[in-house]
Amino acid sequence: LSVSSPSLLVGMLIGGAVPMLFSAMTIRAVGRAAYLIVNECRRQFHLPGVMEGTTRPDYGRVVYICTEAAQKELVGPALLAVFAPVLVGFWLGPIALAGFLAGSIVVGQLMASFMCNSGGAWDNAKKTVEDEPKDMAKNTGKGSEKHKASVTGDTVGDPLKDTAGPAVNPLLKVMNMVSILTVPLMVVYDALASLAKSRRTEVDQ
């Protein structure tokens, strides 16, 4: 494999983009699922007796929404993980597929480490503020402006450290496994395509 190969370079660029696209899809999925759950909680707050504590909320509905959203939102990222290496391998050839895997592993590792560490930092920042004594004059503790800012950061940090960051590892595993299983077909397809191209060139000459 040579870095000067255009196919290899293009494959590396596409492979590096896939973990970023995958992470964006998973983070947006968490946001959509959270939106549905928040709406359901708001709806149940208006039911008689829920806010007063005399009526038990419908916890099962919230669990159902979360489970359904998790299963539906997984379809897009799963299709990306399965079909991205197949499309690259058949479209650009086995050399491009090798670059695709190399680019995805390097960028995916960096993305996973970044998201897990930054998400954990945001989460720990909120906990640190909550452990402080509550003092509005010094802007410390729960209810302070600093605490509100840390909650906003943790809202972004949780999807990073709990969803997008850890999910990059199975993404890489699935893409490598699919590539190993399909690369023999890609080699044959590439050889036949090259043979057909040479024959067309001979006929044109």
Side-chain angles (χ1 to χ4, degrees):
L1 299 176
S2 174
V3 182
S4 63
S5 171
S7 297
L8 186 75
L9 181 60
V10 172
M12 291 178 69
L13 293 174
I14 297 174
V18 167
M20 298 184 182
L21 176 60
F22 179 86
S23 301
M25 294 171 71
T26 53
I27 292 172
R28 286 170 61 89
V30 173
R32 285 191 292 265
Y35 176 79
L36 295 175
I37 293 174
V38 168
N39 280 346
E40 176 62 21
C41 293
R42 288 175 176 170
R43 184 190 70 81
Q44 293 195 26
F45 285 156
H46 291 90
L47 297 178
V50 172
M51 293 299 291
E52 293 78 11
T54 57
T55 303
R56 190 172 184 269
D58 187 5
Y59 300 109
R61 176 62 184 166
V62 176
V63 173
Y64 173 79
I65 291 174
C66 185
T67 305
E68 183 184 37
Q71 293 174 342
K72 285 184 177 180
E73 296 290 352
L74 187 62
V75 174
L79 292 177
L80 176 66
V82 172
F83 287 106
V86 174
L87 292 176
V88 170
F90 280 106
W91 181 34
L92 299 175
I95 301 299
L97 179 62
F100 173 87
L101 295 177
S104 64
I105 290 172
V106 172
V107 176
Q109 161 63 24
L110 295 176
M111 286 285 294
S113 300
F114 158 72
M115 289 186 290
C116 288
N117 283 288
S118 60
W122 268 318
D123 185 44
N124 291 334
K126 186 193 72 169
K127 294 175 181 176
T128 301
V129 175
E130 290 177 346
D131 290 339
E132 295 174 347
K134 186 174 182 180
D135 189 342
M136 291 303 173
K138 295 182 180 179
N139 192 27
T140 59
K142 287 187 177 181
S144 62
E145 292 299 318
K146 184 164 65 171
H147 180 249
K148 294 176 183 178
S150 67
V151 170
T152 303
D154 186 47
T155 304
V156 182
D158 277 340
L160 290 180
K161 73 180 179 65
D162 295 330
T163 302
V168 173
N169 184 42
L171 166 72
L172 299 178
K173 286 187 176 182
V174 169
M175 290 197 302
N176 280 278
M177 184 61 65
V178 170
S179 300
I180 291 172
L181 294 175
T182 57
V183 73
L185 298 176
M186 297 174 188
V187 172
V188 174
Y189 177 82
D190 189 61
L192 293 176
S194 299
L195 181 61
K197 184 178 179 180
S198 63
R199 287 181 177 177
R200 284 196 302 267
T201 304
E202 293 175 358
V203 170
D204 292 339
Q205 292 176 350

